[in-house]
Amino acid sequence: MLADTWNYLLAHPAQFSRALWVHITLSASALFLAAAISIPAGIAVARRSNWSLAVVNIANVARTLPSLAVLALVMPLLGTGFAPALFALTLIALPPIVTHTITAMRGVDADVVDAAIGMGMTRSALLWQVELPMALPVIFAGLRTGAVQVISGAVLAAFIGGGGLGDFITAGVAMMAVPQLLVGAVPVALLALASDFLFGALQRRMTPQGLRAP
């Protein structure tokens, strides 16, 4: 089975390279856009109890939606192709990042904030020098979750013409061709594991020494 998969890969190097590049580009772009939206939004509403509760509740509801359902909802509005897939994957990545950002900001020690304010720190300095450094480990936990969800969800982009490694998987399922399916499935699994490891390492690196797990 693995030999057949390897032979199929060797027979279609250009097609595989193109699909891999599209998958990585699609996933990275969606994660970047989601972070650019979610992190500032989470910071903005974190200190407003009513707003933060509403945003967290909406995000939690959104997290229950299957990835394929999100893609299906986007298709009638934006059509098919890379851009609609990017939009849908960005929506998929928003909930875990915004909820972790709100949790992180609300979890900053109030005594530390009061002490910083007492020292005369401006609101901007307080955010950049105190709150964000303390919140970063939890924020990166959200990015870690979002990255894995986006990489996995990008497989389904093949259903709306988004391209990527999902093309091999859907074609393999349709034709009952296991080697072709594995050419798409194995790299996706490796990408998800690699992103989880990378963001996990960054999360541990940003966690204060005394709070790290042994």
Side-chain angles (χ1 to χ4, degrees):
M1 186 67 68
L2 291 178
D4 291 338
T5 302
W6 180 248
N7 290 334
Y8 182 91
L9 178 61
L10 292 179
H12 304 83
Q15 184 181 355
F16 174 78
S17 298
R18 183 168 58 253
L20 179 63
W21 174 250
V22 170
H23 201 100
I24 292 173
T25 304
L26 188 59
S27 302
S29 300
L31 186 65
F32 174 80
L33 289 174
I37 296 168
S38 298
I39 294 176
I43 292 171
V45 304
R47 297 303 181 190
R48 299 171 175 84
S49 297
N50 292 337
W51 280 91
S52 61
L53 181 61
V55 171
V56 168
N57 286 336
I58 293 170
N60 285 335
V61 171
R63 291 179 75 169
T64 65
L65 294 175
S67 301
L68 186 57
V70 176
L71 289 163
L73 289 171
V74 167
M75 187 168 61
L77 300 174
L78 300 177
T80 60
F82 184 91
L86 175 61
F87 181 80
L89 289 172
T90 301
L91 292 181
I92 291 169
L94 288 175
I97 301 175
V98 74
T99 53
H100 277 77
T101 301
I102 292 172
T103 301
M105 296 301 294
R106 291 182 66 85
V108 173
D109 194 330
D111 292 336
V112 174
V113 174
D114 291 340
I117 293 173
M119 294 171 59
M121 270 194 175
T122 64
R123 185 61 195 170
S124 177
L126 177 66
L127 173 63
W128 289 103
Q129 297 178 30
V130 177
E131 292 179 310
L132 270 181
M134 296 181 69
L136 276 179
V138 179
I139 292 174
F140 266 85
L143 289 170
R144 182 181 185 180
T145 302
V148 173
Q149 289 183 351
V150 164
I151 291 171
S152 302
V155 169
L156 302 175
F159 287 105
I160 62 170
L165 294 168
D167 286 342
F168 289 105
I169 297 174
T170 54
V173 170
M175 297 186 295
M176 298 297 292
V178 176
Q180 187 173 359
L181 187 154
L182 291 178
V183 165
V186 172
V188 169
L190 292 177
L191 284 173
L193 289 172
S195 68
D196 183 73
F197 176 81
L198 173 62
F199 282 104
L202 291 172
Q203 181 185 354
R204 289 189 295 273
R205 186 177 182 84
M206 294 178 181
T207 301
Q209 189 70 35
L211 299 179
R212 294 182 187 177

